[in-house]
Amino acid sequence: MTDRSRYAPGPASGAHVRKDGEKWTLVLVRELRHSPEKVWRALTDPAQLREWAPFDADGTLGTVGATVKLTTVGAPAPHVTETKVKRADAPKVLEYKWGDFDIRWELEPVGAGTRLTLWTNIDRRFISMGAAGWHIAFDVLDHLLSGAPIGRIVGPEAMKFDGWQRLNAEYAKQFGIEMPTWSSNAAER
């Protein structure tokens, strides 16, 4: 594993919010230097998900109709949800639910790499926090795919990570919302 102390997230970018009344959808776009097939495996393979995603999966997410248990990492209490994969068009589109969150991934070839787009509904009060968390997760994913893993940084650990508070504030400003407050004590519970 590469030395995590050298990692610092870049500026908030590649995210916007789609608003439909009270339903808000976070859309994050990241260009990766890896093929869609390689990125697809990282999105669907339980062993690779354990290296970067904010949840563990007990089976592959790459098969339509598959029932998979997703366990949120770093939650104060165990949070396990069962999901059914709605769409798995490798290596282009993946859709499933993670608890109450609709998750949609799109992979588009760009040169020798991939434009990865995530759509997920998040309570509008926490949408900048979600953007900051996914931003860091995407960075960890990129390191993993480049062969220089830095280890998963999610949940309360991400919130304490240097750069997360800055990202939260930058995304809140970009989205035109008030930055949510989250005490460090809550992150430790």
Side-chain angles (χ1 to χ4, degrees), residues 11 25 39 51 55 60 70 85 90 141 150 158 174:
T25 301
V39 175
E51 298 294 322
F55 55 80
T60 182
L70 302 179
V85 178
L141 171 63
I150 59 173
Q174 283 182 24

Side-chain angles (χ1 to χ4, degrees), residues 24 27 29 40 45-46 59 63 68 70 72 75 81 83 86-87 93 97 109 113 130 133 146 150 156 158 167 182-183:
W24 287 27
V27 182
V29 179
W40 178 266
D45 175 59
T63 305
V68 180
L70 302 179
T72 303
T81 58
T83 191
K86 294 188 243 177
R87 185 169 176 193
V93 180
K97 283 187 90 64
S146 296
I150 59 173
L167 285 170
W182 190 268
S183 75

Side-chain angles (χ1 to χ4, degrees), residues 139-154:
D139 286 351
V140 173
L141 171 63
D142 191 39
H143 278 271
L144 173 69
L145 295 175
S146 296
I150 59 173
R152 178 162 50 187
I153 306 170
V154 297

